[in-house]
Amino acid sequence: MDLISILQKNSNLTLEDVNLILKYEGFAFIKSVKAEDFEEAYEKLFSNFHHIARGFLLHFEVSDDISLFEFDSFLGKVYKNITSNESDILVVTTTDNSMSYIKVDCVLTGIMK
């Protein structure tokens, strides 16, 4: 997974959006996972340090039968575990009805030791 491929798939995501996430100093974490559901995706993506990240880019590739409730539950866990009130979170979705799984690309920035 790279930022260019995410930009190419999403006409609504701009370089300004990416710059918003990349502006934070510190370490970065990039990971892409495939999962059967949002609970599994959350568990695969996040370890104990995501709460100290300042920039979040979450790109979901899902079929169009995924409910908003499922997104809300996933994002609620992310929001609940963020310690900074100044974090920037961008959520991008791409639908693909041929998918039988959820794919999430995650970029976390501004992680300090």
Side-chain angles (χ1 to χ4, degrees):
M1 188 269 315
D2 60 59
L3 293 175
I4 299 301
S5 64
I6 292 175
L7 283 169
Q8 289 172 339
K9 290 180 183 179
N10 298 281
S11 60
N12 293 332
L13 185 64
T14 66
L15 278 176
E16 289 81 19
D17 294 331
V18 173
N19 286 334
L20 179 70
I21 298 304
L22 296 179
K23 73 180 179 184
Y24 295 107
E25 294 181 14
F27 294 97
F29 171 82
I30 300 174
K31 190 170 185 177
S32 182
V33 300
K34 292 180 182 177
E36 294 296 318
D37 56 36
F38 279 94
E39 184 71 31
E40 181 185 353
Y42 185 87
E43 294 301 321
K44 285 182 171 183
L45 273 177
F46 296 116
S47 60
N48 294 328
F49 69 83
H50 88 277
H51 65 282
I52 57 175
R54 302 271 315 277
F56 293 76
L57 172 60
L58 300 169
H59 173 243
F60 296 91
E61 289 186 66
V62 296
S63 64
D64 66 1
D65 64 346
I66 297 294
S67 73
L68 288 177
F69 177 78
E70 292 173 282
F71 275 107
D72 184 56
S73 178
F74 181 95
L75 294 173
K77 288 180 184 180
V78 174
Y79 295 138
K80 185 174 112 180
N81 291 303
I82 296 173
T83 58
S84 173
N85 291 335
E86 299 177 7
S87 295
D88 290 304
I89 302 171
L90 292 177
V91 177
V92 181
T93 61
T94 304
T95 56
D96 180 351
N97 288 328
S98 68
M99 295 179 67
S100 61
Y101 55 87
I102 297 167
K103 181 178 177 209
V104 185
D105 302 319
C106 175
V107 179
L108 303 179
T109 61
I111 300 169
M112 303 305 249
K113 270 192 163 183

